[in-house]
């Protein structure tokens, strides 16, 4: 059998031969299986003409997809695990709303799978975070509602679960100018008081947070809508900072625009030493359904992540445990 590989930027088919629909996604590793959650954008892309100050394009919401994999190469479609509510135009999950960047973490105390996501109105002015819960990684997820953490904006976001189970919401706030670090309650269903404002007035979004050798890392993008821009990494001894900004983690051709992609998640690969994968989206803003995925290995120079383009690669770039 030929060795399966990752082919960044190319169409990625699921085990049924259909293109994977899991944009702005994240990975959960649970009991030996990887789960990939992301936006299903299998509807036509429309320009929103009512918004004049930026190039707003959208797809009607279908819901959040889940795919499962034993090996990170082969993904089985587990279906739409958080579905829309088409008959209530006021509902957060109505197809006319914005439902983006889902991330799922497992709560060891309650035994529940908890999904956090960006919930917005069609014009991105509500700026809230939503929560859904399930007994199983493959759903169905029950939607619990949305809110603005401590009354503050929350647009692009991620959740990060730390080694002892404490979890944090990283969210672009203050009209995306400043990122907030806000703790989740023990059951992961609500938030506490925001602990830190980071990257103040730096307009960072698309946060991907991970931990390595006791240090916390975050990779973010700038704010240019669906268009690519330069990534930035930062490192800290605590999630609340201080965060020391590093240089662009991407190297080589097109590194200045993150290889045409935008960060969404970084995760450690089980069974390998010091192995992390950077996940990003090459948005096709005129046809969002046909946006592509970029997965690349992360290597480290001291405490600085480095991401280089590869046309094709496999997990043998990492050292086994
Ligand atoms: C950039 C964000 O990172 C995406 O998730 C999406 O909200 C687009 N902006 C919309 O233009």
């Amino acid at each position: 059998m030929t060795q399966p590989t990752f082919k960044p930027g190319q169409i990625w088919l699921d085990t049924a031969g259909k293109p994977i629909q899991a944009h702005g996604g994240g990975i959960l590793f649970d009991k030996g299986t990887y789960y990939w959650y992301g936006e299903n954008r299998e509807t036509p892309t429309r320009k929103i003409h009512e918004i004049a100050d930026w190039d707003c394009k959208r797809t009607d919401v279908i819901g959040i997809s889940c795919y499962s994999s034993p090996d990170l190469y082969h993904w089985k479609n587990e279906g739409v695990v958080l579905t829309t509510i088409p008959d209530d135009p006021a509902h957060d999950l109505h197809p006319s709303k914005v439902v983006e960047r889902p991330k799922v973490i497992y709560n060891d105390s309650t035994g529940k799978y908890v999904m956090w996501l960006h919930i917005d109105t069609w014009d991105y002015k509500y700026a809230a975070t939503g929560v859904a819960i399930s007994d199983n990684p493959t759903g169905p997820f029950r939607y619990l509602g949305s809110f603005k953490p401590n009354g503050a904006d929350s647009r692009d976001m991620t959740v990060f679960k730390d080694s002892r189970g404490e979890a944090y919401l990283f969210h672009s706030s203050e009209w995306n100018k400043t990122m907030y670090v806000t703790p989740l309650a023990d059951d992961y269903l609500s938030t506490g008081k925001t602990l830190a404002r980071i990257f103040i007035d730096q307009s960072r979004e698309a946060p991907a947070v991970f931990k390595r050798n006791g240090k916390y890392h975050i990779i973010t993008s700038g704010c240019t809508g669906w268009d690519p821009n330069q990534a930035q990494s930062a490192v800290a001894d605590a999630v609340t900072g201080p965060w020391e900004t590093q240089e662009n983690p991407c190297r080589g051709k097109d590194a200045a625009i993150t290889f045409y992609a935008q960060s969404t998640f970084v995760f450690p690969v089980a069974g390998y030493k010091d192995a992390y994968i950077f996940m990003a989206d090459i948005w096709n803003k005129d046809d969002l359904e046909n946006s592509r995925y970029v997965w690349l290995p992360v290597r480290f120079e001291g405490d600085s992540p480095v991401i280089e383009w590869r046309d094709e690669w496999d997990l043998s770039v990492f050292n086994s445990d």
Side-chain angles (χ1 to χ4, degrees):
M1 210 178 99
T2 52
Q3 163 65 39
T5 57
F6 301 105
K7 297 190 187 80
Q10 296 192 29
I11 294 180
W12 198 340
L13 302 178
D14 66 17
T15 51
K18 282 193 67 187
I20 292 174
Q21 282 295 321
H23 311 281
I27 299 286
L28 168 76
F29 182 61
D30 185 61
K31 301 177 186 77
T33 297
Y34 292 94
Y35 297 91
W36 179 359
Y37 302 90
E39 303 153 17
N40 184 321
R41 290 193 175 269
E42 257 174 329
T43 49
T45 300
R46 287 200 316 274
K47 163 101 177 141
I48 304 301
H49 295 283
E50 293 91 326
I51 296 178
D53 54 345
W54 62 284
D55 194 16
C56 184
K57 304 258 170 78
R58 56 165 286 109
T59 51
D60 276 352
V61 180
I62 292 186
I64 301 305
S65 301
C66 173
Y67 293 81
S68 64
S69 175
D71 59 8
L72 295 173
Y73 300 111
H74 303 96
W75 292 93
K76 176 179 176 244
N77 187 357
E78 301 286 356
V80 173
V81 295
L82 181 70
T83 51
T84 52
I85 309 285
D87 49 8
D88 179 2
H91 197 282
D92 286 348
L93 299 180
H94 186 263
S96 64
K97 301 294 177 80
V98 166
V99 178
E100 293 180 344
R101 296 191 173 271
K103 304 290 176 290
V104 174
I105 50 177
Y106 176 71
N107 190 295
D108 302 277
S109 314
T110 63
K112 304 283 186 195
Y113 297 83
V114 183
M115 180 186 291
W116 284 75
L117 62 178
H118 173 193
I119 295 289
D120 227 315
T121 40
W122 63 275
D123 54 4
Y124 287 88
K125 287 197 172 146
Y126 174 37
T129 187
V131 190
I133 190 169
S134 176
D135 291 330
N136 297 295
T138 52
F141 281 80
R142 185 164 57 88
Y143 188 63
L144 300 180
S146 69
F147 65 101
K148 292 170 82 86
N150 305 294
D153 284 354
S154 180
R155 289 195 181 83
D156 274 15
M157 43 63 65
T158 194
V159 282
F160 169 71
K161 179 178 170 182
D162 208 347
S163 325
R164 286 198 301 258
E166 328 86 290
Y168 301 87
L169 177 71
F170 284 69
H171 51 116
S172 298
S173 199
E174 302 179 16
W175 286 100
N176 289 354
K177 285 207 184 72
T178 295
M179 192 164 285
Y180 283 16
V181 184
T182 303
L184 302 191
D186 289 348
D187 61 7
Y188 300 166
L189 301 182
S190 60
T191 54
K193 289 260 164 292
T194 294
L195 297 174
R197 293 169 70 237
I198 65 175
F199 312 132
I200 294 170
D201 290 335
Q202 291 179 38
S203 296
R204 306 304 303 174
E205 63 179 6
V209 179
F210 61 102
K211 191 177 188 180
R212 172 184 179 261
N213 292 346
K215 299 256 186 206
Y216 299 87
H217 296 266
I218 186 169
I219 296 177
T220 57
S221 76
C223 292
T224 52
W226 297 114
D227 297 327
N229 55 54
Q230 187 167 308
Q232 178 183 282
S233 67
V235 63
D237 290 325
V239 281
T240 49
W243 286 89
E244 180 197 326
T245 298
Q246 301 167 312
E247 58 182 284
N248 179 7
C250 301
R251 300 276 173 86
K253 189 171 178 293
D254 301 320
I257 47 167
T258 320
F259 317 115
Y260 291 93
Q262 184 185 29
S263 45
T264 185
F265 204 70
V266 175
F267 65 95
V269 184
Y272 292 84
K273 235 187 248 139
D274 211 18
Y276 293 81
I277 293 178
F278 170 71
M279 290 170 67
D281 298 280
I282 298 182
W283 298 113
N284 180 344
K285 67 175 175 183
D286 296 314
D287 184 10
L288 287 162
E289 170 184 355
N290 278 307
S291 300
R292 301 278 173 257
Y293 311 105
V294 169
W295 286 30
L296 289 167
V298 184
R299 66 177 177 80
F300 293 87
E301 292 176 354
D303 284 326
S304 302
V306 175
I307 304 165
E308 282 149 328
W309 180 263
R310 289 168 190 253
D311 289 332
E312 190 169 3
W313 64 283
D314 62 58
L315 295 175
S316 67
V317 302
F318 300 124
N319 295 321
S320 303
D321 257 344

